[in-house]
Amino acid sequence: MLVGALVMVASAGIGYRLYKQYGDPEHSPRILSESERTADHVTIRFEVRSDGNNPSVCIVRARAQDGLVVGSAEVPVPAGKRIVQTYTLVTRERAFVVDIPKCRAA
């Protein structure tokens, strides 16, 4: 019983240490505005909030009205607590919606 408890505590400690070393820190994206939408591109302005220590990479994605992805890119974002960036995403057809499903440390 004692050995099992020790193994559980050791596993939790190792897991926590690995997450702190390799885990994905919080990089929180938010679309602020959209300035242009045409048949072949869409321009958005977005912000990324993070701890400010590391640059980020954000996935920007555009979908058509039927839900199919018509454009996608990984956008580098410099380090900072609140970075606002403008990006023009090239699309195969007119985008119905644009989202940023994830940002991560670069």
Side-chain angles (χ1 to χ4, degrees):
M1 184 85 163
L2 180 60
V3 173
L6 289 174
V7 169
M8 284 180 49
V9 169
S11 295
I14 291 169
Y16 176 77
R17 173 152 170 113
L18 288 173
Y19 178 78
K20 292 298 279 181
Q21 185 174 357
Y22 299 109
D24 191 14
E26 187 69 28
H27 294 266
S28 193
R30 182 172 68 125
I31 295 176
L32 301 174
S33 65
E34 182 182 312
S35 59
E36 188 175 332
R37 187 185 300 205
T38 67
D40 64 353
H41 68 274
V42 60
T43 301
I44 63 167
R45 189 169 152 261
F46 66 98
E47 75 174 2
V48 177
R49 292 180 184 260
S50 70
D51 61 7
N53 296 328
N54 299 309
S56 305
V57 174
C58 295
I59 298 171
V60 177
R61 181 175 60 190
R63 294 182 179 268
Q65 193 164 6
D66 60 6
L68 293 176
V69 175
V70 295
S72 180
E74 288 192 356
V75 181
V77 179
K81 290 195 178 285
R82 180 183 178 267
I83 300 295
V84 176
Q85 190 153 332
T86 301
Y87 184 75
T88 299
L89 177 65
V90 176
T91 59
R92 292 187 303 276
E93 62 183 78
R94 186 176 183 87
F96 181 71
V97 66
V98 179
D99 66 340
I100 303 173
K102 181 176 182 172
C103 289
R104 59 176 167 74

